[in-house]
Amino acid sequence: MLVDHFPPLGLRLTTPRLELRLPSPEELAALADLAAEGVHDPETMPFLVPWTDRPPAEVARGVIQHHWRNLAEWTPEKWELDLTVFHEGEVVGQQSLWAQDLLVLRQVKTGSWLGRRHHGRGIGTEMRAAVLHLAFAGLDAEEAASVAFEANHASNAVSRKLGYQPNGVERHVVRGAMTVEQRYRLTRADWERHRTVPVTIEGLAPCRTMLGLPR
């Protein structure tokens, strides 16, 4: 079976409302369709790389190519896990977790997007809580990092709610204008103090060597 050759295909996270896992080809197509429908207010740009500014067909194709590229370039030293998020069986967004030299640095980073019609339901908080549980409880990370532009109020609110602390700022040019990026850092101790979402991890053991960890 394919999962025998690429164990992350069998990794699954579940929370009270959500399921997070790598998608089947048909589910990846649904994820691409969702992105093409819209991820954010067109008047704002929450991403450093403005991938959602392209025509809908190119946005959809980009989601698929990005997913395939990260799987193809995966190594134990540097990987990105792009999990599709399901709510009641419906594809609602993507939650990513990535790391470099995890065994040495013990740090992960996260990023995500949610279909615009699914905003405002607390899904963003729950799906990030799921991968933080994977990072700290499953992968023995010591800290998690995240960033968000100052105008991305929803992402900043999720970080604060989950216990992240401000960790500096950086200026960028996005759509020809200056945009300030807020950096956040979450330690294991702060994660422990703020964790409220129960998470179940399945299929992690066969993935450990691909994630750069000992068996």
Side-chain angles (χ1 to χ4, degrees), residues 105-138:
L105 299 179
R106 294 296 183 184
Q107 182 194 62
V108 299
K109 298 180 180 180
T110 63
S112 66
W113 61 265
L114 196 60
R116 193 175 180 190
R117 55 191 167 93
H118 301 291
H119 289 193
R121 301 160 63 188
I123 293 175
T125 300
E126 196 164 326
M127 64 198 221
R128 196 182 323 171
V131 292
L132 289 176
H133 184 91
L134 171 63
F136 288 111

CSV table of all heavy atoms in Angstrom, one decimal, residues 105-138:
chain,number,residue,atom,x,y,z
A,105,LEU,N,16.9,21.4,16.7
A,105,LEU,CA,16.3,22.7,17.0
A,105,LEU,C,15.1,22.6,17.9
A,105,LEU,O,14.7,23.5,18.6
A,105,LEU,CB,15.9,23.5,15.7
A,105,LEU,CG,17.1,23.8,14.8
A,105,LEU,CD1,16.6,24.5,13.5
A,105,LEU,CD2,18.2,24.6,15.5
A,106,ARG,N,14.3,21.5,17.8
A,106,ARG,CA,13.1,21.3,18.6
A,106,ARG,C,12.1,22.5,18.4
A,106,ARG,O,11.4,22.8,19.3
A,106,ARG,CB,13.4,21.2,20.1
A,106,ARG,CG,14.2,19.9,20.4
A,106,ARG,CD,13.4,18.6,20.1
A,106,ARG,NE,14.1,17.4,20.4
A,106,ARG,CZ,13.7,16.2,20.2
A,106,ARG,NH1,12.5,16.0,19.6
A,106,ARG,NH2,14.4,15.2,20.6
A,107,GLN,N,12.0,23.0,17.2
A,107,GLN,CA,11.1,24.1,16.9
A,107,GLN,C,10.3,23.7,15.6
A,107,GLN,O,10.7,23.1,14.7
A,107,GLN,CB,11.9,25.4,16.6
A,107,GLN,CG,11.0,26.6,16.3
A,107,GLN,CD,11.7,27.7,15.7
A,107,GLN,OE1,12.3,27.6,14.6
A,107,GLN,NE2,11.8,28.8,16.4
A,108,VAL,N,9.0,24.1,15.7
A,108,VAL,CA,8.1,23.9,14.5
A,108,VAL,C,7.5,25.3,14.2
A,108,VAL,O,7.5,26.2,15.0
A,108,VAL,CB,6.9,22.9,14.8
A,108,VAL,CG1,7.5,21.5,15.1
A,108,VAL,CG2,6.1,23.4,16.0
A,109,LYS,N,7.0,25.4,13.0
A,109,LYS,CA,6.3,26.6,12.6
A,109,LYS,C,4.9,26.2,12.0
A,109,LYS,O,4.8,25.1,11.5
A,109,LYS,CB,7.1,27.4,11.6
A,109,LYS,CG,8.4,27.9,12.1
A,109,LYS,CD,9.2,28.7,11.1
A,109,LYS,CE,10.5,29.1,11.7
A,109,LYS,NZ,11.4,29.9,10.7
A,110,THR,N,4.0,27.1,12.0
A,110,THR,CA,2.6,26.8,11.5
A,110,THR,C,2.2,27.9,10.6
A,110,THR,O,2.6,29.0,10.6
A,110,THR,CB,1.6,26.7,12.7
A,110,THR,OG1,1.5,27.9,13.4
A,110,THR,CG2,2.0,25.6,13.7
A,111,GLY,N,1.2,27.5,9.7
A,111,GLY,CA,0.5,28.4,8.8
A,111,GLY,C,-0.8,27.8,8.4
A,111,GLY,O,-0.9,26.5,8.5
A,112,SER,N,-1.7,28.6,8.0
A,112,SER,CA,-3.0,28.0,7.7
A,112,SER,C,-3.8,28.9,6.8
A,112,SER,O,-3.5,30.1,6.7
A,112,SER,CB,-3.8,27.7,9.0
A,112,SER,OG,-4.1,28.9,9.6
A,113,TRP,N,-4.9,28.4,6.2
A,113,TRP,CA,-5.9,29.2,5.6
A,113,TRP,C,-7.2,28.4,5.7
A,113,TRP,O,-7.3,27.2,5.9
A,113,TRP,CB,-5.6,29.5,4.2
A,113,TRP,CG,-5.4,28.4,3.2
A,113,TRP,CD1,-4.2,27.8,2.8
A,113,TRP,CD2,-6.4,27.7,2.5
A,113,TRP,NE1,-4.5,26.8,1.9
A,113,TRP,CE2,-5.8,26.7,1.7
A,113,TRP,CE3,-7.8,27.9,2.4
A,113,TRP,CZ2,-6.5,25.9,0.8
A,113,TRP,CZ3,-8.5,27.0,1.6
A,113,TRP,CH2,-7.9,26.0,0.8
A,114,LEU,N,-8.3,29.2,5.7
A,114,LEU,CA,-9.6,28.7,5.9
A,114,LEU,C,-10.5,29.3,4.8
A,114,LEU,O,-10.5,30.5,4.5
A,114,LEU,CB,-10.1,29.0,7.3
A,114,LEU,CG,-11.3,28.3,7.9
A,114,LEU,CD1,-11.1,26.9,8.1
A,114,LEU,CD2,-11.7,29.0,9.3
A,115,GLY,N,-11.4,28.4,4.2
A,115,GLY,CA,-12.3,29.0,3.2
A,115,GLY,C,-13.1,30.1,3.8
A,115,GLY,O,-13.6,30.0,5.0
A,116,ARG,N,-13.3,31.2,3.1
A,116,ARG,CA,-14.0,32.4,3.7
A,116,ARG,C,-15.3,32.1,4.3
A,116,ARG,O,-15.7,32.6,5.3
A,116,ARG,CB,-14.1,33.4,2.6
A,116,ARG,CG,-14.4,34.8,3.2
A,116,ARG,CD,-14.4,35.9,2.1
A,116,ARG,NE,-14.7,37.2,2.7
A,116,ARG,CZ,-14.9,38.3,2.0
A,116,ARG,NH1,-14.8,38.2,0.6
A,116,ARG,NH2,-15.2,39.4,2.6
A,117,ARG,N,-16.1,31.2,3.7
A,117,ARG,CA,-17.4,30.9,4.2
A,117,ARG,C,-17.4,30.1,5.5
A,117,ARG,O,-18.4,29.9,6.1
A,117,ARG,CB,-18.3,30.2,3.1
A,117,ARG,CG,-17.7,28.9,2.6
A,117,ARG,CD,-18.5,28.4,1.4
A,117,ARG,NE,-17.8,27.4,0.6
A,117,ARG,CZ,-18.0,26.1,0.7
A,117,ARG,NH1,-18.9,25.7,1.7
A,117,ARG,NH2,-17.5,25.2,0.0
A,118,HIS,N,-16.2,29.7,5.9
A,118,HIS,CA,-16.1,29.0,7.2
A,118,HIS,C,-15.4,29.8,8.3
A,118,HIS,O,-15.2,29.3,9.4
A,118,HIS,CB,-15.2,27.7,7.0
A,118,HIS,CG,-15.8,26.8,6.0
A,118,HIS,ND1,-17.0,26.1,6.2
A,118,HIS,CD2,-15.4,26.4,4.7
A,118,HIS,CE1,-17.3,25.3,5.1
A,118,HIS,NE2,-16.3,25.5,4.2
A,119,HIS,N,-15.2,31.1,8.0
A,119,HIS,CA,-14.7,32.0,9.0
A,119,HIS,C,-15.7,32.2,10.1
A,119,HIS,O,-16.9,32.1,10.0
A,119,HIS,CB,-14.3,33.3,8.4
A,119,HIS,CG,-13.1,33.3,7.5
A,119,HIS,ND1,-12.4,34.4,7.0
A,119,HIS,CD2,-12.5,32.2,6.9
A,119,HIS,CE1,-11.4,34.0,6.2
A,119,HIS,NE2,-11.4,32.7,6.1
A,120,GLY,N,-15.1,32.6,11.3
A,120,GLY,CA,-16.0,33.1,12.4
A,120,GLY,C,-16.7,32.0,13.2
A,120,GLY,O,-17.6,32.3,13.9
A,121,ARG,N,-16.2,30.8,13.1
A,121,ARG,CA,-16.8,29.6,13.8
A,121,ARG,C,-15.9,28.9,14.7
A,121,ARG,O,-16.2,27.9,15.3
A,121,ARG,CB,-17.3,28.6,12.7
A,121,ARG,CG,-18.3,29.2,11.7
A,121,ARG,CD,-18.4,28.4,10.5
A,121,ARG,NE,-18.9,27.0,10.7
A,121,ARG,CZ,-19.0,26.1,9.8
A,121,ARG,NH1,-18.5,26.3,8.5
A,121,ARG,NH2,-19.5,24.9,10.0
A,122,GLY,N,-14.7,29.5,15.0
A,122,GLY,CA,-13.7,29.0,15.9
A,122,GLY,C,-12.9,27.8,15.3
A,122,GLY,O,-12.1,27.2,16.0
A,123,ILE,N,-13.1,27.6,14.0
A,123,ILE,CA,-12.4,26.4,13.4
A,123,ILE,C,-10.9,26.7,13.4
A,123,ILE,O,-10.1,25.8,13.6
A,123,ILE,CB,-12.9,26.2,12.0
A,123,ILE,CG1,-14.4,25.6,12.1
A,123,ILE,CG2,-12.1,25.2,11.2
A,123,ILE,CD1,-15.1,25.5,10.8
A,124,GLY,N,-10.5,28.0,13.1
A,124,GLY,CA,-9.1,28.3,13.0
A,124,GLY,C,-8.3,28.0,14.3
A,124,GLY,O,-7.2,27.5,14.3
A,125,THR,N,-8.9,28.3,15.4
A,125,THR,CA,-8.3,28.0,16.7
A,125,THR,C,-8.2,26.5,16.9
A,125,THR,O,-7.1,26.0,17.4
A,125,THR,CB,-9.1,28.6,17.9
A,125,THR,OG1,-9.2,30.0,17.7
A,125,THR,CG2,-8.5,28.3,19.2
A,126,GLU,N,-9.2,25.8,16.6
A,126,GLU,CA,-9.2,24.3,16.9
A,126,GLU,C,-8.2,23.6,16.0
A,126,GLU,O,-7.5,22.7,16.4
A,126,GLU,CB,-10.6,23.8,16.7
A,126,GLU,CG,-10.9,22.4,17.3
A,126,GLU,CD,-12.3,22.1,17.4
A,126,GLU,OE1,-13.2,23.0,17.6
A,126,GLU,OE2,-12.7,20.9,17.2
A,127,MET,N,-8.1,24.0,14.7
A,127,MET,CA,-7.2,23.3,13.9
A,127,MET,C,-5.7,23.6,14.2
A,127,MET,O,-4.9,22.7,14.1
A,127,MET,CB,-7.5,23.6,12.4
A,127,MET,CG,-7.3,25.0,11.9
A,127,MET,SD,-8.2,25.2,10.3
A,127,MET,CE,-7.0,26.2,9.4
A,128,ARG,N,-5.4,24.8,14.7
A,128,ARG,CA,-4.0,25.1,15.1
A,128,ARG,C,-3.8,24.4,16.4
A,128,ARG,O,-2.6,23.9,16.6
A,128,ARG,CB,-3.8,26.6,15.2
A,128,ARG,CG,-2.2,26.8,15.3
A,128,ARG,CD,-1.7,28.1,15.4
A,128,ARG,NE,-2.3,29.2,14.8
A,128,ARG,CZ,-2.0,30.5,15.1
A,128,ARG,NH1,-1.0,30.7,16.0
A,128,ARG,NH2,-2.6,31.5,14.6
A,129,ALA,N,-4.7,24.3,17.3
A,129,ALA,CA,-4.5,23.6,18.5
A,129,ALA,C,-4.2,22.1,18.2
A,129,ALA,O,-3.4,21.5,18.9
A,129,ALA,CB,-5.8,23.6,19.4
A,130,ALA,N,-4.8,21.6,17.1
A,130,ALA,CA,-4.5,20.2,16.8
A,130,ALA,C,-3.0,20.0,16.4
A,130,ALA,O,-2.4,19.0,16.9
A,130,ALA,CB,-5.4,19.7,15.6
A,131,VAL,N,-2.5,20.8,15.6
A,131,VAL,CA,-1.1,20.6,15.2
A,131,VAL,C,-0.1,21.0,16.3
A,131,VAL,O,1.0,20.5,16.3
A,131,VAL,CB,-0.7,21.3,13.9
A,131,VAL,CG1,-1.5,20.7,12.7
A,131,VAL,CG2,-1.0,22.8,14.0
A,132,LEU,N,-0.5,21.9,17.2
A,132,LEU,CA,0.3,22.2,18.3
A,132,LEU,C,0.4,21.0,19.2
A,132,LEU,O,1.5,20.7,19.8
A,132,LEU,CB,-0.2,23.4,19.1
A,132,LEU,CG,0.0,24.7,18.4
A,132,LEU,CD1,-0.7,25.8,19.2
A,132,LEU,CD2,1.4,25.1,18.1
A,133,HIS,N,-0.7,20.3,19.4
A,133,HIS,CA,-0.7,19.0,20.2
A,133,HIS,C,0.3,18.0,19.5
A,133,HIS,O,1.0,17.3,20.2
A,133,HIS,CB,-2.1,18.5,20.3
A,133,HIS,CG,-2.2,17.3,21.2
A,133,HIS,ND1,-2.4,17.3,22.5
A,133,HIS,CD2,-2.0,15.9,20.9
A,133,HIS,CE1,-2.4,16.1,23.1
A,133,HIS,NE2,-2.2,15.2,22.1
A,134,LEU,N,0.2,17.9,18.2
A,134,LEU,CA,1.1,17.0,17.5
A,134,LEU,C,2.5,17.4,17.8
A,134,LEU,O,3.4,16.5,18.0
A,134,LEU,CB,0.8,17.0,16.0
A,134,LEU,CG,1.8,16.3,15.1
A,134,LEU,CD1,1.8,14.8,15.4
A,134,LEU,CD2,1.4,16.5,13.6
A,135,ALA,N,2.8,18.7,17.7
A,135,ALA,CA,4.2,19.2,17.9
A,135,ALA,C,4.7,18.9,19.3
A,135,ALA,O,5.8,18.3,19.4
A,135,ALA,CB,4.3,20.7,17.5
A,136,PHE,N,4.0,19.3,20.3
A,136,PHE,CA,4.5,19.2,21.6
A,136,PHE,C,4.3,17.8,22.3
A,136,PHE,O,5.2,17.3,22.9
A,136,PHE,CB,3.8,20.3,22.5
A,136,PHE,CG,4.2,21.7,22.2
A,136,PHE,CD1,3.4,22.6,21.6
A,136,PHE,CD2,5.5,22.1,22.6
A,136,PHE,CE1,3.8,23.9,21.4
A,136,PHE,CE2,5.9,23.4,22.3
A,136,PHE,CZ,5.1,24.3,21.7
A,137,ALA,N,3.1,17.2,22.1
A,137,ALA,CA,2.9,15.9,22.7
A,137,ALA,C,3.4,14.8,21.8
A,137,ALA,O,3.8,13.7,22.4
A,137,ALA,CB,1.4,15.7,22.9
A,138,GLY,N,3.4,14.9,20.5
A,138,GLY,CA,3.8,13.9,19.6
A,138,GLY,C,5.3,13.9,19.2
A,138,GLY,O,5.9,12.9,19.0
